[in-house]
Amino acid sequence: METLIDFQTCLSEFSGKFDELAGRYDHTVQHSSALEALIDDYSTFITDKQNERIWEELNQQESGSMHQLVLDLRDKSAQCVAIMEKYRALKLQGGDVEIADYFRNIEECIEKEFGSFHVTSDSKVLLVGSGSFPMTPLFIAKRTGAKVVGIDIDEEAITLGQKVVDKLGAGLNIQLEQTLMQDLSFTKEATHIIFSSTVANKYDLLDQLHALTNEHVVVAMRYGNQLKSLFNYPMRETDSSKWNMVDNILRPDDVFDIALYQKA
């Protein structure tokens, strides 16, 4: 990117393509390759160090249209990631296990999700926003033997996600539910809770979690600031009487970073 105009034009083009490909989803894998390629390109764009300088320049300008474009891109890319997970789940049912670059990036992030707050076989992990291809529950349950519960408000995501777990995680202690965290008894038991980066109201939910969880729970909040906020909902201040941030795991080459919280 050489100019601010080029940068903004590129963002506008991404926005239009996200709109187009989201509209094509028909519960089959017909348009999966195009969407996967787009999201891989977008992931590369937001982790490109050369784009960070231009992003900072844009932030110094007062532009209502740019602000709205960022908000739109965040929502549209989150929607398309959810659709891409559906494509991957559908393709797995057809015997295709190839994964896009975006998923490789996410899997690398999961490896050190909780920093020094290790997950063990005795842990109980809750994932808010498990999606249609629940990589995090599979990865954690397979590596540690912990019990993992994933929740999502999307009925299709839970249905597809259960098929993925049945195929790739037979025998693992994984449970998927279409429910809200306040309606789940497991929320009180959880030792570790993860919020997906594409959950729009995750900080409002974190505030609610204070009354719903045990004293020693550790919460991993996936987020993206600066350039990464084009693809993730950013970090927000928390009520200091409820939550303290105890670690901030910055991953420059990955699509999101991770803030860890414990009760104040």
Side-chain angles (χ1 to χ4, degrees):
M1 291 296 139
E2 295 183 357
T3 69
L4 298 183
I5 294 175
D6 291 336
F7 189 91
Q8 288 180 277
T9 299
C10 191
L11 293 183
S12 295
E13 289 174 353
F14 273 123
S15 181
K17 290 175 182 176
F18 281 134
D19 267 340
E20 177 187 355
L21 291 176
R24 289 185 186 180
Y25 178 60
D26 61 357
H27 308 280
T28 74
V29 298
Q30 182 178 1
H31 303 291
S32 61
S33 296
L35 184 58
E36 286 175 1
L38 176 62
I39 291 180
D40 284 347
D41 287 345
Y42 197 57
S43 300
T44 300
F45 181 88
I46 69 159
T47 54
D48 186 341
K49 303 299 185 294
Q50 296 182 18
N51 289 331
E52 291 180 359
R53 174 183 57 82
I54 300 177
W55 171 258
E56 290 302 322
E57 289 183 37
L58 279 172
N59 270 348
Q60 294 172 13
Q61 300 181 1
E62 292 294 332
S63 171
S65 60
M66 182 62 188
H67 178 69
Q68 189 58 51
L69 178 57
V70 170
L71 295 179
D72 289 345
L73 274 167
R74 199 178 291 155
D75 290 341
K76 291 174 182 179
S77 60
Q79 179 188 15
C80 284
V81 165
I83 293 171
M84 187 171 69
E85 289 188 0
K86 292 178 180 182
Y87 283 141
R88 189 183 181 192
L90 289 166
K91 288 200 289 186
L92 180 66
Q93 292 178 44
D96 184 353
V97 295
E98 182 180 353
I99 64 172
D101 289 344
Y102 170 82
F103 287 113
R104 291 189 184 94
N105 191 290
I106 296 299
E107 287 167 350
E108 291 169 4
C109 292
I110 296 170
E111 182 73 43
K112 296 180 179 179
E113 185 90 52
F114 284 100
S116 60
F117 296 91
H118 299 296
V119 176
T120 70
S121 59
D122 295 325
S123 301
K124 296 181 179 181
V125 184
L126 172 63
L127 174 61
V128 181
S130 53
S132 303
F133 205 100
M135 292 178 293
T136 300
L138 286 165
F139 186 95
I140 291 175
K142 191 173 293 187
R143 284 292 184 95
T144 69
K147 179 177 181 178
V148 187
V149 175
I151 60 174
D152 206 293
I153 58 174
D154 183 342
E155 181 179 3
E156 183 182 21
I158 292 295
T159 300
L160 290 172
Q162 188 60 58
K163 292 179 180 178
V164 171
V165 169
D166 291 344
K167 193 172 186 70
L168 299 180
L172 297 178
N173 197 354
I174 298 173
Q175 176 184 340
L176 301 180
E177 299 282 350
Q178 183 193 3
T179 189
L180 301 173
M181 59 184 196
Q182 60 264 35
D183 297 328
L184 187 72
S185 60
F186 185 77
T187 302
K188 189 70 175 177
E189 304 171 26
T191 59
H192 300 72
I193 298 176
I194 303 170
F195 279 94
S196 295
S197 66
T198 52
V199 175
N201 63 336
K202 58 193 175 188
Y203 274 93
D204 295 328
L205 295 176
L206 177 63
D207 190 70
Q208 296 174 31
L209 262 184
H210 189 269
L212 300 172
T213 50
N214 66 72
E215 181 182 355
H216 301 292
V217 68
V218 180
V219 179
M221 184 71 77
R222 297 172 178 176
Y223 75 95
N225 287 348
Q226 288 85 42
L227 191 61
K228 292 183 183 182
S229 69
L230 291 168
F231 205 3
N232 305 273
Y233 292 92
M235 181 187 289
R236 280 173 35 188
E237 290 293 324
T238 60
D239 183 340
S240 60
S241 69
K242 293 183 177 180
W243 296 102
N244 288 329
M245 185 168 70
V246 292
D247 200 358
N248 189 16
I249 303 170
L250 300 177
R251 305 180 60 83
D253 297 323
D254 297 326
V255 292
F256 60 74
D257 299 313
I258 303 161
L260 295 181
Y261 296 93
Q262 284 190 302
K263 287 188 174 180

